[in-house]
Amino acid sequence: MADAGGWSTIESDEGLFTSLIETLGVKDTQFEELISLDADTIRSLGPVYGVIFLFKWTRETTSGPTNTSTPLDGTYDQTSPENLFFAAQTIQNACGTQAILSVILNHDNPPAPTPPIPLGDELRSFKDFTTGFPPELRGEALSNSEAIRTAHNSFARASPFADETARPQDEEKGDVYHFIAYTPVNGTLYELDGLQPYPISHGECGMGQFPEKVIEVLQRRIARYPPEETHFNLMAVVRDPRERAREIGDVETLEREERKRAAWQWENTLRRHNFVGFIGEVMKGVVAGKEKVGGYEEWVEGAKRETRKKLEMRR
């Protein structure tokens, strides 16, 4: 858990993200993990407000050439409309929640017939307060929001996903990951990445065109990585399917979604629990048992041999 005022890393998980926005007061909205990169899969989820993309961050695949005003794909929208919510990332580890809000806060009043996302009092106040702010000031307001930070940190646990601003790639070894959002706003497909100076436009795109358009953009982005790179994650922001199931009396879908929600709740409960003390007590019991039967030294030596064997295999 982060210290006071800090932001912790969070996992890319549909149940976690759904619970996070509900903690902030968002209604009738959830996240669905996409296991295939095709437009039909996205369209099958009903109205899709946007997608959250998690990828391995590298300078070569995320930044354009030096001293240019052009991104690697698309074009910077330096005169984006006032109703487009875009915030610069001003603090490490906040990119997950920032990408989520980049979709949620841009669809509280979408064009018909897409149903709006009910923001709730907290996010409605935050959006109203930051309307007209430049991206840097919006980012500062987000970073300093106690309510958003507390909700974010309540789902934190040790995670392999580290924010790219925490450790520059050329200074330390290891993989770093980053969240960004793709969403259609005002008839344009936007890539909203807080590390970029402006929103990135990928051309005209209505809600109905979004599945095909975003897949094309994602495929071009993934193609910039080596063929063996597979560390990507994609989640769609959709309307809660339970609402539609209740409207049409689809009992089977409703029961399936309720079971899924129960599983998410259990997983999030485990995330919030610190098992370090429990693991320590278990290890004490194991060691005491080995000492009692006289096999402690042999057990330790066996573990050392296995560790050396694994290290040799890695080399």
Side-chain angles (χ1 to χ4, degrees):
M1 188 66 65
D3 56 5
W7 292 65
S8 301
T9 56
I10 61 175
E11 295 176 84
S12 181
D13 179 85
E14 57 185 359
L16 185 153
F17 281 11
T18 300
S19 296
L20 173 57
I21 63 172
E22 289 179 344
T23 299
L24 290 169
V26 177
K27 305 290 186 182
D28 306 335
T29 309
Q30 75 177 41
F31 290 80
E32 292 284 353
E33 185 170 4
L34 299 170
I35 58 175
S36 61
L37 198 63
D38 66 87
D40 288 339
T41 299
I42 296 178
R43 186 172 287 103
S44 69
L45 298 174
V48 176
Y49 300 101
V51 296
I52 308 297
F53 184 52
L54 174 70
F55 59 94
K56 185 185 294 186
W57 185 89
T58 65
R59 287 190 173 89
E60 294 77 10
T61 57
T62 56
S63 302
T66 306
N67 298 324
T68 182
S69 59
T70 304
L72 287 176
D73 191 21
T75 58
Y76 285 130
D77 188 348
Q78 300 185 32
T79 58
S80 54
E82 185 176 322
N83 68 330
L84 174 68
F85 179 87
F86 173 70
Q89 186 176 331
T90 62
I91 191 170
Q92 66 188 44
N93 299 334
C95 62
T97 293
Q98 188 153 334
I100 293 170
L101 296 183
S102 292
V103 176
I104 299 296
L105 295 181
N106 279 308
H107 288 281
D108 58 318
N109 187 29
T114 305
I117 295 179
L119 296 183
D121 294 340
E122 190 64 51
L123 291 184
R124 169 55 59 196
S125 297
F126 175 79
K127 183 175 181 180
D128 291 345
F129 173 70
T130 58
T131 296
F133 284 12
E136 294 77 13
L137 194 53
R138 272 182 173 156
E140 288 293 339
L142 174 59
S143 300
N144 292 319
S145 170
E146 183 177 352
I148 297 175
R149 183 178 64 245
T150 299
H152 170 102
N153 284 346
S154 69
F155 293 96
R157 73 171 184 178
S159 170
F161 300 143
D163 184 82
E164 64 291 329
T165 59
R167 53 178 192 185
Q169 185 185 348
D170 55 358
E171 294 180 5
E172 293 187 39
K173 294 183 179 179
D175 296 333
V176 291
Y177 294 84
H178 184 50
F179 293 91
I180 62 174
Y182 292 93
T183 186
V185 181
N186 297 330
T188 299
L189 173 56
Y190 282 105
E191 175 183 331
L192 302 177
D193 178 354
L195 296 182
Q196 297 290 340
Y198 307 101
I200 297 175
S201 169
H202 290 283
E204 294 183 3
C205 178
M207 293 293 289
Q209 301 168 294
F210 177 68
E212 285 81 11
K213 292 283 188 179
V214 74
I215 291 299
E216 292 173 3
V217 175
L218 288 169
Q219 287 174 337
R220 291 197 299 269
R221 186 179 195 113
I222 292 172
R224 300 203 293 264
Y225 287 82
E228 64 273 12
E229 178 57 55
T230 60
H231 293 86
F232 303 103
N233 183 264
L234 185 65
M235 278 187 289
V237 187
V238 303
R239 187 187 182 203
D240 186 344
R242 295 178 302 174
E243 295 303 310
R244 176 61 176 166
R246 293 187 184 104
E247 290 173 2
I248 64 176
D250 186 348
V251 177
E252 182 179 350
T253 296
L254 183 59
E255 290 179 347
R256 182 181 67 246
E257 290 298 321
E258 292 291 359
R259 288 194 299 269
K260 183 166 65 175
R261 288 292 183 123
W264 287 351
Q265 184 177 8
W266 171 247
E267 291 166 1
N268 288 330
T269 299
L270 295 180
R271 286 187 177 94
R272 289 188 173 99
H273 189 77
N274 188 338
F275 289 96
V276 173
F278 171 74
I279 294 171
E281 292 301 316
V282 170
M283 292 303 297
K284 287 179 184 179
V286 172
V287 170
K290 291 293 183 181
E291 289 178 333
K292 186 175 182 180
V293 299
Y296 177 74
E297 295 297 335
E298 182 181 352
W299 177 56
V300 171
E301 290 302 318
K304 289 180 178 179
R305 286 194 299 271
E306 288 298 320
T307 300
R308 286 194 294 268
K309 185 186 299 183
K310 290 179 180 179
L311 289 174
E312 290 297 326
M313 291 177 65
R314 289 179 182 176
R315 294 193 187 102

